Amino acid sequence: MPYPTDRERDRPWVIRTYAGHSSAEKTNELYRNNLSKGQTGLSVAFDLPTQTGYDPDDELAKGEVGKVGVPVSHIGDMRTLFDGIPMAEANTSMTINAPAMWLLALYVAVAEEQAEQSGLDYSEVRAKLAGTTQNDIVKEYLSRGTYVFPPAPSLRLITDMVAWSVTEIPKWNPINICSYHLQEAGATPTQELAYALSTAIAVLDSVRDSGQVPEEKFGDVVGRISFFVNAGLRFVEEMCKMRALGRLWDEITRERYGVENPKQRRLRYGVQVNSLGLTEAQPENNVQRIVLEMLAVTLSKDARARAVQLPAWNEALGLPRPWDQQWALRMQQVLAYETDLLEYEDLFEGSVVVEAKVSELVEGARAEIDRVQEMGGAVAAVESGYMKGELVSSLAEYRREMEAGTRVVVGVNSYETTEPSPLQAEGAGAIFTVDPETERAAIASIQQWRADRDADAVESALSALRDAAKTDGNLMQVSIDAAKAGVTTGEWAGALREVFGEFRAPTGVSAAAATGEAATEIGTVRDRVRATGDELGERLRLLVGKPGLDGHSNGAEQVAVRARDVGFEVIYQGIRLTPTQIVSAAVQEGVHAVGLSVLSGSHLEVVPAVVQGLKDQGAGDVPVVVGGIIPPEDEKHLRENGVAAVFTPKDYQLTDMMDELVTLIRTANGLS
């Protein structure tokens, strides 16, 4: 920004890969390697304990440490993560939400250390820090599940971060309004636009009403709001969606907030294309999916992403290897540097077809934004369950279309004949696996960290944090002080849990019902469920559980909806449960089967714990089934250890899954 107005090439977007695993040391090595290959920005993936405010030795962290990202438990980890990477010169995106303030505090504290070591004034370094904290808690309640605190204090943390950042680190984007996960949770383009913009309105209203930013500086706040979006395969519609988002954002910031400067009203967004849309079946098809989705957010100059990160072709199988990530990086580089895309003005200006679609999306989004505002805004629409229910219903409809074949997914429900893939010839070697020693090393490391630090300084910092949280004062600087004192991620979040409490978001499962083509098949299975219940003398009960910290609950919710539709009594308590809690609920409710959903790679730790727990409670005959991203070798191991069935993304027919579940229940109960 601003774009050239002649025929000179537009500057490329920031090229990133979303990365992090095992430990800060190994991730630092990965980052240096990626930067040497031409990556121009860093995108930090944190592990689930870090994302949800737990230390590696917490009970809920078992099996999750270092799996989907890097554990950052204290300032020492952040130092290691950016060792040899000048933070004043980096452009860093951090996908972090509930503890976003804490990770930004650690980042700033380490940047100040780097400044001191280089003989620079720390205020100069602060002024140069560039990057983004995702920090969008609303979509966490709706889709991704890494929330910690209730909506009101969560919004307070966001407000404090935005107000502090605008003054102290003016090049930083303190929030990334994130519609990415809304699409993965089922949002239509209209819902994606409306709910993302409703979140932006809630944040801007909160910052304005807090009084922390002078009225004349509010344009600076608007100018630092960025977006992070999803690009699906309907790439013409996706491109139009981005043009619609730009039009709506300009309208809202001008009319609602009175921002006159067009540069401050300009839409700034980054993108990752649809990871959950990648398929386990014929995964080589994911390469063309990724490229086509990338085109959706790069073809249109007037609505072009300013940062792009792409998943790897094999993410539906497990964690990608460095080579897989390199392939995704090269896709961007070929488009940016070999093609003539960046040499032209907008390709779609004046298109009647594009304008009609953009107008349709704008009008639909305006109507849904108005509906949310009438409810009291985004936070109220979360607390009431309205937005979650709408997303679950949309995703249920999508799945019904896929099951009926009216929505084609190549290699999954159509064109399924295939040759053996040489890309998977290595078997388990075709994906990256995290060494089990990683968790043990992280636990030993944090215990040593606690033993070596100044305990009095830590307690003083935590006391100051708790005291400040009870006032309406800004919590950013007191968090930086806590970081420098050696406070851990779990301690920072724990102190705020004491003051703010915790929250369990509505699941939305009650919102969806079976309709359309799938209704006949559902009726057949419903008859089996009813007949089996009659033979057992009670209604069949299924517990759907999300063990560990994996908050991607879309699959579990759809299983719960379909199970209810075929006649099961469904017990679904939402995300973030220990194996002990799941076992207790299963025994207390007297369920006939347990279904576990795990997408984070922790299945080999948390699933056997549930199976053993049921045996210990005298319920070992209750069949346990598992769904998630589970490699074939792990599936074999789970079955050998008592799991009755394993379902992966290739098993998209939910009604068939329910039918198999009935068969397992009949077998377990000695019925023919």
Side-chain angles (χ1 to χ4, degrees):
M1 311 293 183
Y3 295 118
T5 55
D6 55 17
R7 288 294 297 276
E8 68 183 74
R9 285 178 66 87
D10 185 16
R11 63 184 176 86
W13 50 89
V14 176
I15 296 175
R16 293 186 170 119
T17 52
Y18 180 54
H21 69 87
S22 300
S23 67
E25 184 177 23
K26 290 184 178 180
T27 302
N28 173 262
E29 181 182 348
L30 177 65
Y31 287 170
R32 292 199 199 196
N33 192 31
N34 285 348
L35 290 170
S36 73
K37 294 175 181 176
Q39 183 175 305
T40 56
L42 295 172
S43 183
V44 184
F46 297 99
D47 73 351
L48 286 174
T50 304
Q51 291 186 51
T52 49
Y54 293 103
D55 288 334
D57 55 353
D58 191 280
E59 180 186 7
L60 272 169
K62 183 173 177 57
E64 307 281 15
V65 178
K67 284 281 173 64
V68 301
V70 56
V72 176
S73 302
H74 46 71
I75 193 171
D77 287 340
M78 189 65 82
R79 283 189 200 116
T80 302
L81 189 62
F82 286 92
D83 182 40
I85 301 173
M87 296 165 82
E89 301 172 18
N91 189 306
T92 304
S93 170
M94 295 194 283
T95 302
I96 194 72
N97 294 281
M101 177 180 284
W102 175 242
L103 273 299
L104 181 59
L106 291 172
Y107 190 85
V108 170
V110 173
E112 291 180 3
E113 288 181 351
Q114 286 190 358
E116 185 177 349
Q117 292 162 5
S118 304
L120 301 174
D121 185 273
Y122 82 85
S123 61
E124 293 179 20
V125 172
R126 275 190 179 186
K128 292 179 180 178
L129 292 180
T132 303
T133 33
Q134 192 167 100
N135 200 22
D136 175 0
I137 203 66
V138 171
K139 66 92 175 52
E140 296 298 320
Y141 299 126
L142 298 175
S143 55
R144 193 163 167 268
T146 66
Y147 56 81
V148 175
F149 313 112
S154 294
L155 189 57
R156 183 253 180 104
L157 291 174
I158 294 171
T159 299
D160 285 357
M161 276 184 68
V162 173
W164 185 89
S165 298
V166 166
T167 301
E168 298 294 333
I169 46 175
K171 290 187 177 181
W172 193 267
N173 302 318
I175 187 169
N176 216 209
I177 306 297
C178 184
S179 68
Y180 175 88
H181 300 93
L182 300 180
Q183 184 180 120
E184 289 194 337
T188 64
T190 298
Q191 290 170 329
E192 191 178 338
L193 290 168
Y195 298 162
L197 288 167
S198 294
T199 299
I201 289 170
V203 170
L204 288 174
D205 282 359
S206 180
V207 174
R208 180 195 60 197
D209 297 344
S210 74
Q212 295 188 59
V213 179
E215 185 177 346
E216 64 274 12
K217 297 283 288 182
F218 196 73
D220 293 339
V221 174
V222 171
R224 298 320 304 175
I225 302 294
S226 62
F227 290 79
F228 186 72
V229 305
N230 203 333
L233 268 171
R234 293 173 57 82
F235 72 94
V236 175
E237 184 175 56
E238 294 292 311
M239 183 271 295
C240 292
K241 179 185 76 180
M242 299 320 305
R243 296 175 78 92
L245 180 58
R247 187 176 300 180
L248 286 162
W249 181 240
D250 184 79
E251 176 184 297
I252 289 168
T253 53
R254 184 181 65 254
E255 296 180 4
R256 186 181 182 95
Y257 300 107
V259 178
E260 298 296 334
N261 186 339
K263 290 183 179 180
Q264 293 175 329
R265 297 199 311 267
R266 184 179 288 131
L267 174 68
R268 299 177 309 115
Y269 78 95
V271 66
Q272 173 158 321
V273 305
N274 193 350
S275 289
L276 284 188
L278 304 181
T279 64
E280 177 190 16
Q282 299 182 27
E284 61 276 6
N285 293 336
N286 294 330
V287 176
Q288 51 264 35
R289 289 186 177 106
I290 292 166
V291 171
L292 289 169
E293 290 167 340
M294 175 173 56
L295 290 178
V297 293
T298 54
L299 277 177
S300 173
K301 183 177 180 181
D302 288 352
R304 181 171 292 150
R306 299 318 304 170
V308 178
Q309 58 192 44
L310 302 181
W313 68 278
N314 56 350
E315 285 194 17
L317 307 176
L319 292 174
R321 302 157 298 183
W323 183 87
D324 305 312
Q325 289 197 327
Q326 176 183 296
W327 194 359
L329 175 64
R330 296 295 185 242
M331 292 177 194
Q332 293 200 57
Q333 291 168 329
V334 169
L335 180 62
Y337 301 117
E338 289 193 34
T339 76
D340 60 349
L341 175 65
L342 300 181
E343 296 175 10
Y344 295 95
E345 295 298 314
D346 194 273
L347 303 178
F348 302 100
E349 187 66 36
S351 166
V352 175
V353 173
V354 169
E355 179 56 34
K357 186 62 179 178
V358 171
S359 296
E360 173 192 326
L361 291 170
V362 166
E363 291 306 312
R366 278 198 195 115
E368 187 65 10
I369 290 169
D370 289 345
R371 190 171 296 114
V372 171
Q373 293 306 305
E374 288 171 3
M375 295 176 182
V379 171
V382 165
E383 293 173 330
S384 70
Y386 168 74
M387 286 201 286
K388 182 65 173 179
E390 291 296 294
L391 294 179
V392 173
S393 295
S394 293
L395 187 57
E397 181 59 30
Y398 174 92
R399 294 201 62 89
R400 281 191 286 270
E401 292 174 1
M402 185 177 164
E403 291 179 49
T406 56
R407 182 181 291 268
V408 173
V409 182
V410 174
V412 177
N413 65 358
S414 299
Y415 313 108
E416 297 166 62
T417 303
T418 183
E419 299 296 329
S421 169
L423 289 174
Q424 295 177 268
E426 299 172 74
I431 57 172
F432 177 81
T433 55
V434 175
D435 188 339
E437 179 59 32
T438 294
E439 186 165 309
R440 291 189 287 272
I443 291 172
S445 176
I446 196 164
Q447 290 173 346
Q448 188 64 51
W449 175 267
R450 294 193 192 109
D452 291 344
R453 65 190 180 174
D454 184 336
D456 291 338
V458 168
E459 186 47 48
S460 177
L462 288 172
S463 180
L465 176 64
R466 282 189 288 264
D467 290 344
K470 296 171 185 175
T471 72
D472 59 0
N474 191 297
L475 297 179
M476 192 64 214
Q477 187 57 53
V478 74
S479 293
I480 294 173
D481 295 340
K484 292 177 178 178
V487 167
T488 69
T489 297
E491 290 167 343
W492 179 88
L496 294 186
R497 281 184 173 100
E498 291 178 31
V499 180
F500 296 153
E502 294 191 72
F503 183 73
R504 294 196 73 81
T507 67
V509 167
S510 61
T515 58
E517 295 87 345
T520 301
E521 291 78 7
I522 286 174
T524 301
V525 178
R526 186 184 292 126
D527 290 342
R528 285 197 77 203
V529 171
R530 184 184 300 112
T532 302
D534 289 345
E535 290 180 65
L536 293 175
E538 57 184 339
R539 186 179 177 189
L540 294 190
R541 290 181 295 281
L542 169 68
L543 184 145
V544 177
K546 289 285 296 178
L549 296 175
D550 170 29
H552 285 87
S553 58
N554 306 331
E557 288 155 2
Q558 293 305 311
V559 168
V561 168
R562 189 58 55 87
R564 185 204 62 199
D565 289 343
V566 300
F568 280 95
E569 178 183 341
V570 178
I571 294 92
Y572 176 56
Q573 298 171 321
I575 63 172
R576 213 177 303 166
L577 298 171
T578 65
T580 300
Q581 289 172 321
I582 290 172
V583 169
S584 177
V587 172
Q588 184 176 341
E589 297 286 348
V591 300
H592 299 92
V594 173
L596 304 177
S597 170
V598 186
L599 277 79
S600 65
S602 63
H603 45 269
L604 292 182
E605 290 83 10
V606 295
V607 173
V610 172
V611 173
Q612 186 60 48
L614 288 170
K615 290 179 181 177
D616 293 344
Q617 294 295 317
D621 58 338
V622 174
V624 175
V625 302
V626 183
I629 299 175
I630 300 173
E633 292 79 5
D634 291 357
E635 177 178 342
K636 180 182 177 183
H637 178 82
L638 290 172
R639 286 181 176 274
E640 289 173 348
N641 284 271
V643 170
V646 175
F647 302 100
T648 64
K650 69 179 184 299
D651 303 302
Y652 66 93
Q653 292 281 6
L654 292 182
T655 305
D656 289 350
M657 190 185 300
M658 295 300 111
D659 195 42
E660 185 172 345
L661 199 57
V662 176
T663 299
L664 291 172
I665 292 171
R666 293 185 66 84
T667 301
N669 287 275
L671 302 179
S672 60

